Amino acid sequence: MQQENPTRRVLALLELLQAKALSPGPELAQALGVDVRTLRRYIGHLVELGIPVAAQRGRDGGYGLSAGHKLPPLMFNSDEALALAMGLRAARELGLDGMLPALHSSRAKLERVLPATVKRRLSDVHETVALDLRRGAAPSDGQPAGVQAELALLSAAARAQQRVSLRYQDRDGSCSERQLDVYGLGLRGGAWYAVGFCHLRQALRSFRLDRVLAVQPLAASFGRPAGFDVLAFLNEALARLPRAHQVRLLLHTGLDAARRALYPELGLLEARAEGGVVLRAQIDDLTSLARELAALPFDFEILEPAALRHALADHARALLRRSQD
């Protein structure tokens, strides 16, 4: 039976020492799957490399890195690398213009010391993921955690322009197998989506990552359209989903002001040549929409449905009662 390379265990020991200020020897040995004598030999290897490992004797003793010693960020597991990549991308998307040079230099420094696999993860996210951070609330139907694996696989496939096989569960619970050319991934309204060309439907489609059951890379490539805007596609596709009520409003303002006042998942905005902006939306809850409209800083007209006028009037009366209490 081939034995594992001791170097791998020495690096794993370094990662364990970075995680805690002080770790008992038997605990470290058990985590590495070696005896205490072998652990001491690994400690010696780290000391020879110039890493100051301090040993504390006694009942509450153990091993730890010397106080004040800082190591370069050489070791990240898969989830940590993904979190790091997302943090850098989010900082850029937040529009922190004054920090852009620092963000670029931080990424460059990290890429100089990170292992090749982790460096690829950073590049995958940087090139293929778009974040809509203007609205932090989670979607109404919720999205469980645990899409990291799908996010990593699909971002890598998008960057490599490699087709994937997708097993997907629709909202009604039915499952399907399809091949997908992933153009990019987006975070919108608290949910993660993959967007690309679906060969089953022969059209552009979006897929929620929490409904992806399996991803398998295929031996086929594709060409990603230049300048493809993941978030723009998601905004339009999700705004067109059929809901209980079809809404049309005329907003007495300009397009830029309307975009600043309304969250993008609400609906589609279209500037009119004669002035004003038309909002087209599909809505299930007219009461929640009435609350959103009441907060707008400009006038508007309800074109349809008439039930929205009643919902808005009910909300106005409720506000009036509260002001008089």
Side-chain angles (χ1 to χ4, degrees), residues 80-147:
E80 290 168 342
L82 185 59
L84 177 63
M86 286 301 171
L88 289 173
R89 187 59 192 265
R92 191 182 72 176
E93 295 292 337
L94 283 171
L96 305 177
D97 295 339
M99 293 184 63
L100 285 179
L103 291 173
H104 290 313
S105 64
S106 297
R107 184 184 172 206
K109 289 177 181 178
L110 285 170
E111 288 185 346
R112 283 198 294 270
V113 298
L114 290 172
T117 54
V118 179
K119 188 186 301 183
R120 282 196 299 271
R121 177 69 56 82
L122 286 172
S123 296
D124 292 344
V125 170
H126 180 77
E127 294 186 15
T128 66
V129 171
L131 307 176
D132 186 349
L133 303 176
R134 289 175 292 177
R135 199 76 170 184
S140 58
D141 57 348
Q143 173 161 315
V147 299

Side-chain angles (χ1 to χ4, degrees), residues 13-261:
L13 171 60
L14 178 56
E15 184 174 10
L16 292 171
L17 291 173
Q18 291 182 91
K20 292 177 62 176
L22 191 67
S23 299
E27 178 183 306
L28 292 171
Q30 182 178 8
L32 295 172
V34 299
D35 55 34
V36 175
R37 183 176 179 181
T38 304
L39 172 69
R40 294 195 190 101
R41 189 166 70 249
Y42 291 167
I43 294 289
H45 290 331
L46 290 178
V47 173
E48 290 174 3
L49 291 171
I51 298 173
V53 181
Q56 182 175 319
R57 299 184 181 277
R59 180 178 177 181
D60 298 323
Y63 295 97
L65 298 178
S66 296
H69 182 72
K70 295 182 179 179
L71 293 171
L74 293 173
M75 304 186 67
F76 292 94
N77 61 33
S78 179
D79 288 344
E80 290 168 342
L82 185 59
L84 177 63
M86 286 301 171
L88 289 173
R89 187 59 192 265
R92 191 182 72 176
E93 295 292 337
L94 283 171
L96 305 177
D97 295 339
M99 293 184 63
L100 285 179
L103 291 173
H104 290 313
S105 64
S106 297
R107 184 184 172 206
K109 289 177 181 178
L110 285 170
E111 288 185 346
R112 283 198 294 270
V113 298
L114 290 172
T117 54
V118 179
K119 188 186 301 183
R120 282 196 299 271
R121 177 69 56 82
L122 286 172
S123 296
D124 292 344
V125 170
H126 180 77
E127 294 186 15
T128 66
V129 171
L131 307 176
D132 186 349
L133 303 176
R134 289 175 292 177
R135 199 76 170 184
S140 58
D141 57 348
Q143 173 161 315
V147 299
Q148 292 94 332
E150 291 78 10
L151 184 60
L153 287 169
L154 292 171
S155 62
R159 183 168 183 251
Q161 299 184 58
Q162 181 180 14
R163 188 170 301 163
V164 298
S165 174
L166 207 67
R167 181 165 176 76
Y168 190 71
Q169 184 176 46
D170 292 326
R171 184 165 50 180
D172 61 6
S174 60
C175 296
S176 60
E177 299 278 352
R178 57 188 78 204
Q179 293 185 12
L180 180 67
D181 298 343
V182 186
Y183 293 166
L185 296 103
L187 176 67
R188 181 185 180 282
W192 280 104
Y193 296 87
V195 175
F197 184 81
C198 174
H199 289 264
L200 178 64
R201 305 302 182 196
Q202 287 295 299
L204 281 174
R205 289 289 187 269
S206 62
F207 302 90
R208 274 184 56 146
L209 263 59
D210 59 323
R211 296 187 187 135
V212 172
L213 304 178
V215 180
Q216 180 64 46
L218 300 175
S221 60
F222 64 90
R224 187 170 63 232
F228 182 77
D229 191 328
V230 171
L231 292 179
F233 176 83
L234 284 174
N235 287 341
E236 182 169 352
L238 297 178
R240 293 185 185 276
L241 288 176
R243 306 288 186 186
H245 304 279
Q246 181 173 310
V247 174
R248 242 178 0 112
L249 302 175
L250 175 59
L251 311 177
H252 294 285
T253 187
L255 189 58
D256 290 341
R259 286 173 174 164
R260 288 193 297 269

